[in-house]
Amino acid sequence: SPGRGMLMQEPEQEEPEQEEPEQEEPEQEERRVYPVPVVVDSCVFPRVKDWLAPIMDAAHAGYIQPIWSPCIIMEVSRVLTWLWIKRHGTGLAEAAWRECSQASKRMFARCSEVFQVVDDCPPAERLWTDRPRDEWDVPVWTAAVRAKALFVVTANLEDGPPTDPNGSREHNGILFMGPDDFIAFLDWWVDSVESAHLPLLAGEPVPPAASPPTELPPGIRKALDEILSRENPQDDEPAG
């Protein structure tokens, strides 16, 4: 029958369509950004929105490595607890202390995500003077030296090295900067990296970033040279 004949016929084999080989996109070289080690003094922590948050955002993005030490952690805890009591004015009730404790633990948990701890125990690293203005800043300097930090961010610049002829406070390759100036530099640095306008090493001009927020503070050229010359960050990461 016609139906049977149709069944007995071998079906025509369709030639498989030849797929064009996918062209592999050339791999783009991944840009490695050196996480700049920065010691953050305890006086920075109370200004969360203006100072601490931008620092932590840059740390999460891999641009910097914030550093603190046991002494800094102790002072942060003391200062924030005192400010919490002044702000809430709830006395010494058990519920108030429990709330204060919970707020402190939340803060510590957030900071611990990005901050590395560096030892600041004696003997202290040699300072720029034998008579520091504040003896409790000695552990901050000790942590900066041991972390191979390039910056110390502090609102108490008068306790740091004296100003040089350029107006910057630098000692042994570590630059002390106020929080506002450091945030301005941080914005510029992130802008430079993301727009591929990284500055060159010493002797070469610094190309402008896409939209630098302010002029770079004095002394920043030397710090940039050091950042860009550290080609093996794993060798320079502080233990923490």
Side-chain angles (χ1 to χ4, degrees):
S1 66
R4 181 182 176 86
M6 291 178 61
L7 289 174
M8 295 298 293
Q9 291 177 357
E10 294 185 3
E12 296 181 0
Q13 294 184 353
E14 297 181 359
E15 295 184 3
E17 295 182 2
Q18 295 193 0
E19 298 180 358
E20 296 183 2
E22 294 183 0
Q23 295 182 351
E24 295 183 1
E25 296 183 1
E27 292 185 4
Q28 294 184 350
E29 184 178 350
E30 184 179 350
R31 188 173 195 81
R32 185 176 65 176
V33 180
Y34 175 70
V36 182
V38 180
V39 169
V40 182
D41 199 4
S42 58
C43 54
V44 175
F45 287 77
R47 296 275 296 273
V48 175
K49 181 178 179 181
D50 296 334
W51 294 346
L52 186 61
I55 289 174
M56 292 184 65
D57 288 344
H60 278 294
Y63 291 103
I64 63 173
Q65 175 55 70
I67 304 293
W68 59 2
S69 69
C71 185
I72 294 174
I73 294 171
M74 177 192 69
E75 182 66 6
V76 168
S77 178
R78 185 190 69 81
V79 170
L80 294 184
T81 299
W82 176 243
L83 290 175
W84 190 94
I85 293 172
K86 287 182 64 177
R87 189 180 304 118
H88 291 78
T90 52
L92 301 177
E94 183 177 347
W97 279 117
R98 185 164 52 249
E99 185 179 348
C100 178
S101 176
Q102 291 172 350
S104 178
K105 290 174 181 176
R106 287 194 298 269
M107 179 74 164
F108 185 80
R110 288 197 296 269
C111 291
S112 296
E113 292 177 357
V114 293
F115 275 78
Q116 283 189 357
V117 180
V118 172
D119 187 20
D120 58 13
C121 68
E125 301 293 337
R126 186 172 179 81
L127 278 82
W128 48 91
T129 178
D130 294 331
R131 297 182 178 180
R133 285 171 53 100
D134 185 350
E135 63 177 341
W136 288 106
D137 285 325
V138 175
V140 176
W141 171 253
T142 296
V145 173
R146 293 175 183 175
K148 299 182 180 179
L150 294 179
F151 298 95
V152 172
V153 183
T154 178
N156 301 321
L157 290 175
E158 66 279 2
D159 294 333
T163 54
D164 62 19
N166 294 321
S168 61
R169 295 177 182 267
E170 181 264 340
H171 182 66
N172 284 357
I174 301 175
L175 185 64
F176 281 62
M177 294 183 71
D180 290 327
D181 279 343
F182 181 75
I183 298 303
F185 163 72
L186 196 55
D187 289 343
W188 180 89
W189 176 246
V190 172
D191 243 3
S192 298
V193 174
E194 292 184 349
S195 61
H197 289 163
L198 279 176
L200 304 177
L201 291 176
E204 299 292 338
V206 181
S211 55
T214 60
E215 292 185 3
L216 293 181
I220 213 70
R221 169 76 265 177
K222 185 176 181 180
L224 285 176
D225 288 341
E226 180 64 23
I227 293 170
L228 296 171
S229 66
R230 294 191 180 186
E231 298 178 355
N232 299 307
Q234 67 272 15
D235 295 336
D236 289 311
E237 288 181 358

